[in-house]
Amino acid sequence: VSTKDAGSGQLNVAATGPSGSEVAAFLTDGEDGNKNVRVETKEVGRYKVDVLWNKKHIPKSPFYFDVVKKLTADQIKATGEGLVNGQTDTPAKFNVEAIKPGLHSSQQLVIKVRSESGGVVDANVTNASQGLYQVEYTPSTAEDHHVDITYQDLNIPGSPFRATIQQQPIAEKCSARGDCLLPGCVLIAGDPLDVTVVTQDAGRGKLRATATGPNNELVGAFLAEMHGEVVVRVDTKDPGLYEVNLLWNTEHIPGSPFSFTLIPRLTRS
């Protein structure tokens, strides 16, 4: 409390606790002639502090503040997908929340994210509501990442967390092969039409296949996956033009859509 421009007078303080009874309040000397107010807080709840200059309230008096139980690291929890897995160049998100009231400031909450190879990743913390913080980080490498969460220099339950970060799906890193793709290959209706798609370097994703036959009618396209490769078999009962769409997640792989012309099987008369 600064009184240097208030002239001569007497500064007094009085405080009441949550139950309405008076509690001890002290004035101590501060810097530059200011006075510090110290209130004894033995109970949890709301306190009221009256600060008077010559028996009149100073501006904004009375003051109110809430006292909560001291929060410890084991009373904080972290949840969210970003603590378990994620993809490169994509924000990984999780929440940090106090199980009991008391997490009113993130100053004592420290979050550090580092890759398995030792790289440091920035973590952005947003105060979503009282006691709840939303955190996100964007990994750039496909490797495990360690998420350390401490409160008052102590790990919260589960910390450090290990998140498995995989390569973002990249359709351009898929490749297709098969006899049907070779120049000059003669394709006969009724024979298997197989295309093998290699996806092992394309990140985490899912191959989707659709096929149309003569007259743009949908035909069966069946998938069999093994060891980072997917074999796509197209049902080719009738001769004519076939088109096969191969997508990694939502993007066409190189060369897709593929077009094939099947000729009728020759029969002896």
Side-chain angles (χ1 to χ4, degrees):
V1 180
S2 175
T3 63
K4 64 181 180 179
D5 297 324
S8 60
Q10 180 69 37
L11 184 68
N12 296 102
V13 295
T16 54
S19 61
S21 58
E22 187 173 347
V23 297
F26 309 94
L27 285 171
T28 60
D29 292 330
E31 297 180 356
D32 300 327
N34 295 330
K35 294 290 185 180
N36 297 327
V37 179
R38 174 168 292 183
V39 178
E40 192 175 78
T41 58
K42 294 182 177 180
E43 297 179 88
V44 173
R46 170 154 289 198
Y47 286 73
K48 174 188 173 185
V49 180
D50 297 300
V51 182
L52 298 97
W53 181 247
N54 285 343
K55 300 181 180 181
K56 293 184 179 180
H57 283 279
I58 71 170
K60 298 185 179 179
S61 176
F63 300 91
Y64 296 89
F65 63 91
D66 294 314
V67 173
V68 298
K69 288 184 178 180
K70 184 178 180 181
L71 192 68
T72 58
D74 61 356
Q75 294 171 331
I76 298 175
K77 65 178 181 179
T79 57
E81 193 72 14
L83 298 172
V84 181
N85 53 50
Q87 296 178 352
T88 57
D89 303 316
T90 302
K93 301 179 181 181
F94 62 91
N95 294 329
V96 179
E97 183 178 8
I99 300 172
K100 295 182 178 180
L103 185 58
H104 300 301
S105 172
S106 63
Q107 292 180 349
Q108 293 178 304
L109 183 68
V110 178
I111 300 172
K112 296 180 180 179
V113 183
R114 55 185 174 84
S115 65
E116 187 80 4
S117 59
V120 177
V121 182
D122 291 336
N124 297 316
V125 182
T126 303
N127 189 354
S129 61
Q130 190 174 47
L132 174 63
Y133 292 85
Q134 295 176 334
V135 186
E136 71 173 48
Y137 64 97
T138 303
S140 60
T141 56
E143 57 182 321
D144 283 356
H145 281 59
H146 302 272
V147 182
D148 297 286
I149 306 175
T150 59
Y151 182 73
Q152 295 181 335
D153 299 323
L154 295 175
N155 278 308
I156 72 167
S159 177
F161 299 87
R162 180 185 290 266
T164 301
I165 305 299
Q166 297 181 324
Q167 179 67 47
Q168 185 184 33
I170 303 176
E172 289 80 4
K173 291 192 175 183
C174 293
S175 61
R177 68 171 188 266
D179 291 343
C180 59
L181 300 177
L182 297 175
C185 179
V186 177
L187 304 174
I188 299 174
D191 286 351
L193 176 60
D194 292 342
V195 178
T196 299
V197 182
V198 181
T199 63
Q200 61 186 6
D201 295 325
R204 186 180 182 183
K206 184 176 182 180
L207 186 70
R208 306 174 189 274
T210 59
T212 56
N215 301 319
N216 285 325
E217 294 180 354
L218 286 173
V219 296
F222 308 97
L223 306 180
E225 185 173 358
M226 59 176 63
H227 308 304
E229 297 183 351
V230 182
V231 177
V232 181
R233 173 161 291 185
V234 180
D235 189 358
T236 62
K237 294 180 180 179
D238 301 313
L241 178 64
Y242 287 75
E243 184 175 273
V244 180
N245 296 280
L246 299 177
L247 295 90
W248 187 238
N249 275 12
T250 59
E251 301 291 332
H252 282 277
I253 73 169
S256 177
F258 300 90
S259 296
F260 308 97
T261 300
L262 280 71
I263 63 174
R265 183 181 300 278
L266 297 177
T267 57
R268 293 183 179 179
S269 58

